[in-house]
Amino acid sequence: MKLLDEKKLNQLVNDLSIKYFSKPFKDKVYYNKRLRTTGGRYIPSKRIIELNPKYAIETDEDEVVGIIKHELCHYHLHMEGKGYKHGDADFKRLLKKTGSPRHCKALPSSKRQIKHIYICKDCSHVYKRQRRVDLKKYRCGKCGGKLTTGD
């Protein structure tokens, strides 16, 4: 999928809102390129939905529609004065009813890079880390044994 301009994006969100929630979306939706770990967010104080443009570029249309439906669940519950947060029963119920995902998939470009491997001398447990670990300071979390580099 490609990035939509602001007008088309608002139209898409309104269409999805009417289709799945039988209510119009009366506020604004924007792309926010500063979002990193999430597909989108709803800001209750401003009544704005922000979407991560990377998801529109790197994933398929179904994933983007799922993210929009998820944020619309927050929006409509907030507008009705019901529980719109992730832990609320109303929110979980509406997610299930509309077939919206609870979480979005990880971006293909954001896969974790493992740079360091450490192995416990005693129990041979393997630790995969992005950052270096001070071997004098840290021990195995399972048995308390010394760690060595697995290079």
Side-chain angles (χ1 to χ4, degrees):
M1 190 175 161
K2 63 179 182 170
L3 286 179
L4 301 171
D5 64 3
E6 192 175 316
K7 190 175 181 181
K8 288 181 182 176
L9 182 62
N10 277 292
Q11 184 62 46
L12 172 65
V13 173
N14 190 44
D15 292 346
L16 291 171
S17 181
I18 291 169
K19 180 178 179 182
Y20 290 100
F21 300 90
S22 302
K23 299 171 190 167
F25 177 73
K26 298 177 182 176
D27 294 293
K28 295 287 182 190
V29 61
Y30 301 104
Y31 286 117
N32 182 349
K33 65 183 177 189
R34 293 184 314 266
L35 295 178
R36 289 175 169 238
T37 59
T38 183
R41 69 178 176 179
Y42 170 62
I43 304 172
S45 60
K46 297 178 182 176
R47 295 187 353 200
I48 291 174
I49 292 177
E50 293 182 341
L51 300 174
N52 187 337
K54 291 177 188 172
Y55 276 87
I57 296 168
E58 295 182 29
T59 61
D60 59 349
E61 191 174 343
D62 293 337
E63 184 70 20
V64 176
V65 168
I67 292 168
I68 292 170
K69 284 170 34 180
H70 177 99
E71 299 310 326
L72 283 170
C73 287
H74 288 296
Y75 172 79
H76 287 298
L77 287 170
H78 177 249
M79 298 305 286
E80 293 171 9
K82 295 181 180 176
Y84 63 91
K85 295 181 180 174
H86 280 256
D88 296 331
D90 290 332
F91 181 73
K92 291 177 183 177
R93 219 175 293 119
L94 189 58
L95 280 179
K96 201 171 197 177
K97 180 182 172 188
T98 59
S100 305
R102 184 123 162 87
H103 304 284
C104 59
K105 295 176 187 167
L107 283 169
S109 64
S110 68
K111 294 291 182 196
R112 230 171 73 160
Q113 292 180 340
I114 298 168
K115 296 178 183 173
H116 304 282
I117 297 174
Y118 301 97
I119 302 169
C120 175
K121 286 183 179 178
D122 296 338
C123 70
S124 301
H125 185 74
V126 178
Y127 294 92
K128 298 175 181 177
R129 296 287 178 264
Q130 288 181 345
R131 296 184 182 164
R132 274 190 332 153
V133 172
D134 184 358
L135 298 177
K136 295 174 190 167
K137 189 175 178 182
Y138 292 96
R139 298 278 195 142
C140 176
K142 296 219 178 264
C143 70
K146 278 193 152 195
L147 297 175
T148 60
T149 56
D151 299 334

